[in-house]
Amino acid sequence: MTPNSPLDRAAAVLLALLVLLTGLVEWRVPAAEAPRALVAAAVVVLLAPRIRASRLAFVAVGLGLTLWTGAVSDNWAAVLARGLASAGFIGAFFCALATLRSIAQSSPAIADAGRYLASQPPGRRYLALSLGGHMFALLLSYGAIALLGGLATSAAAADSDPVIRGHRRRRMLLAIQRGFVSTLSWSPLAFSMAITTVLIPGASWRDAALPGMVSALILAGLGWALDTLLKPRLAVRPPPRPIEGSFRRLTPLFVLLALLGVSVGGLHLLTEVRIVGVVLLVVPLISLVWALLQYRGAIAAPARQFLFTDLPGYRGEIVLLMMAGYIGTLGAPLLAPIMAGLGLDLGVMPPWLLLVSLVWIVPLLGQLGMNPILGVPLIAPLIPEAASLGVTPAALVTAIVAGWAIGGICSPFTATTILTGSFGGVSPLHVGLRWNGLFVITLGLALSLWTLLYAFVLAPA
């Protein structure tokens, strides 16, 4: 099969339909739920034959859980429907964000902004790349690490001294990685917030956004503090380099983020539609308008390229993410009786200990290779209602997404550490435990304390 094979074209059309149907569900059109489940299943069937064996294993596990659910559950049809709904939602959310990533990656203005950040002098380079990585992540998702990581590696390669080159490359890549993961604790465009606010009863992005922003500030501030305290002492300071461009190069980035924030937030407040539903509508529309301006109205060819080549090219990621959501949704009701038989009940844990455990369990599972998109749907249904714990749903979301962000820094199986390691010339395990080891421990303690402070002092139930 060629990249533009009939199967690819059929999958691309179904993915577009999946975004539309998921948007209708979020905008309170329940008749779209059954078709979405069927389309989600068809997407996996079409994409699965051309993915790697490691991703195909998730499909095999999903099939096994489907058979197990059918054998042991009286309401197996409803459970399978929930699993397909979860898979469909995740696939649609990924594709909607991919529209923005595609147009941003091809934008000369965004590339110029990245070069300006990467050329900053040592005194402010970490902050520039950390904040820049945060802003770029809102537009590019993992593409932010790919874009800025490539620019950072090129900038560091210009140093003739191998010691200076190694230090500069490591510090620049860590600033970008940490800037990216800081979005996971609050951004409505992040899978962490989109999935967790759906899974926790009574939770909403509106309530969880502010404590999540504080978590992001803690992550960014602690990263900068450790970088400053632990920066290498060089016998000979490298000569200064010219900065590429001026601060004005960041103007398009600020304008886009402001437009995105105002449109998503404003429409969410006006309509009371869940933030993920607003994102599914607004992000593709902004991408379309951006493409019209960038290509001066001639968007037929770029649209075909995105729909029939770029989108099917994400087949591995799409199947992995969709199956992770499906497995987590089906696995939770199967796991509950097993835990009960072992005498493990999260409801008997002290609330403060449960919240702290939620901060740490996601990164710990990440060390075992469990993607948070799989782990969080598996764990969330086992968590007692927020009211019974004496906390708000936002407190539970804050704890879970804090752990999600920590996992993005230290798990050797996440895209962030894999990409960072590839640019740094080291293994993902080296990035997670050697480069980030001290940071992860101090960050985990800081976010645990912040979660408890928010849950029981600042915003008690």
Side-chain angles (χ1 to χ4, degrees):
M1 288 180 289
T2 63
N4 259 337
S5 69
L7 282 183
D8 276 338
R9 288 181 170 273
V13 172
L14 287 180
L15 285 169
L17 181 59
L18 186 62
V19 175
L20 174 61
L21 291 172
T22 302
L24 291 175
V25 170
E26 293 295 331
W27 284 78
R28 308 184 185 104
V29 182
E33 291 183 4
R36 178 179 66 171
L38 295 175
V39 170
V43 164
V44 173
V45 170
L46 289 176
L47 295 179
R50 298 184 64 192
I51 61 176
R52 298 198 306 266
S54 59
R55 307 291 173 87
L56 199 58
F58 278 77
V59 179
V61 172
L63 289 174
L65 285 177
T66 301
L67 296 175
W68 187 5
T69 300
V72 304
S73 176
D74 294 331
N75 62 334
W76 58 269
V79 176
L80 296 183
R82 287 198 300 271
L84 288 173
S86 176
F89 164 75
I90 291 171
F93 199 74
F94 178 92
C95 292
L97 297 184
T99 62
L100 191 60
R101 184 195 315 178
S102 177
I103 186 64
Q105 285 177 328
S106 63
S107 169
I110 295 299
D112 287 343
R115 280 189 285 271
Y116 169 74
L117 293 172
S119 66
Q120 293 300 302
R124 58 174 182 263
R125 184 186 298 130
Y126 183 95
L127 277 179
L129 287 174
S130 184
L131 295 176
H134 188 99
M135 292 186 295
F136 271 74
L138 297 174
L139 297 178
L140 299 175
S141 186
Y142 293 104
I145 299 179
L147 173 64
L148 292 177
L151 294 172
T153 303
S154 298
D159 286 302
S160 57
D161 188 322
V163 174
I164 295 176
R165 183 167 60 246
H167 286 309
R168 174 171 289 182
R169 181 175 57 189
R170 176 182 60 82
R171 294 175 67 194
M172 293 173 76
L173 290 173
L174 287 180
I176 295 164
Q177 183 197 26
R178 294 168 184 177
F180 171 86
V181 298
S182 63
T183 64
L184 302 181
S185 65
W186 75 272
S187 171
L189 305 184
F191 274 107
S192 50
M193 286 296 285
I195 292 174
T196 307
T197 51
V198 169
L199 292 173
I200 299 299
S204 69
W205 176 81
R206 187 188 309 180
D207 295 332
L210 184 57
M213 289 179 184
V214 175
S215 296
L217 287 173
I218 291 171
L219 195 157
L222 186 59
W224 171 78
L226 285 178
D227 177 80
T228 302
L229 290 173
L230 302 177
K231 66 181 179 181
R233 309 300 177 186
L234 302 174
V236 179
R237 297 185 65 180
R241 294 181 181 177
I243 298 175
E244 294 193 31
S246 66
F247 188 77
R248 286 194 298 272
R249 285 197 173 188
L250 299 180
T251 301
L253 185 61
F254 291 136
V255 171
L256 283 168
L257 292 177
L259 177 63
L260 195 61
V262 170
S263 56
V264 170
L267 199 56
H268 172 59
L269 293 174
L270 287 173
T271 63
E272 294 295 327
V273 171
R274 291 193 312 179
I275 197 72
V276 291
V278 176
V279 168
L280 286 169
L281 172 66
V282 169
V283 167
L285 287 178
I286 288 179
S287 303
L288 176 61
V289 173
W290 189 355
L292 286 169
L293 294 174
Q294 182 165 308
Y295 296 108
R296 299 181 180 180
I299 63 168
R304 285 194 299 270
Q305 168 73 23
F306 171 75
L307 184 61
F308 296 122
T309 302
D310 296 347
L311 207 52
Y314 293 125
R315 63 178 64 84
E317 291 87 346
I318 292 172
V319 172
L320 172 64
L321 295 174
M322 291 180 67
M323 292 310 302
Y326 182 78
I327 292 169
T329 304
L330 263 64
L334 297 173
L335 182 62
I338 296 175
M339 291 187 62
L342 296 174
L344 301 175
D345 183 3
L346 298 182
V348 302
M349 293 178 65
W352 70 268
L353 181 59
L354 176 59
L355 283 175
V356 172
S357 299
L358 293 177
V359 174
W360 289 96
I361 193 169
V362 177
L364 289 175
L365 290 175
Q367 298 303 311
L368 303 176
M370 186 176 289
N371 191 296
I373 293 179
L374 189 159
V376 172
L378 198 63
I379 298 166
L382 307 177
I383 302 172
E385 292 278 343
S388 68
L389 298 172
V391 300
T392 62
L396 293 176
V397 173
T398 301
I400 293 172
V401 296
W404 200 313
I406 297 172
I409 297 170
C410 67
S411 171
F413 302 98
T414 61
T416 55
T417 51
I418 292 171
L419 285 169
T420 303
S422 67
F423 284 115
V426 297
S427 69
L429 186 64
H430 189 96
V431 173
L433 300 184
R434 293 287 298 276
W435 283 7
N436 280 311
L438 178 61
F439 178 58
V440 166
I441 293 172
T442 54
L443 177 63
L445 294 173
L447 290 180
S448 296
L449 290 174
W450 161 241
T451 299
L452 295 177
L453 177 65
Y454 174 76
F456 297 110
V457 178
L458 299 179

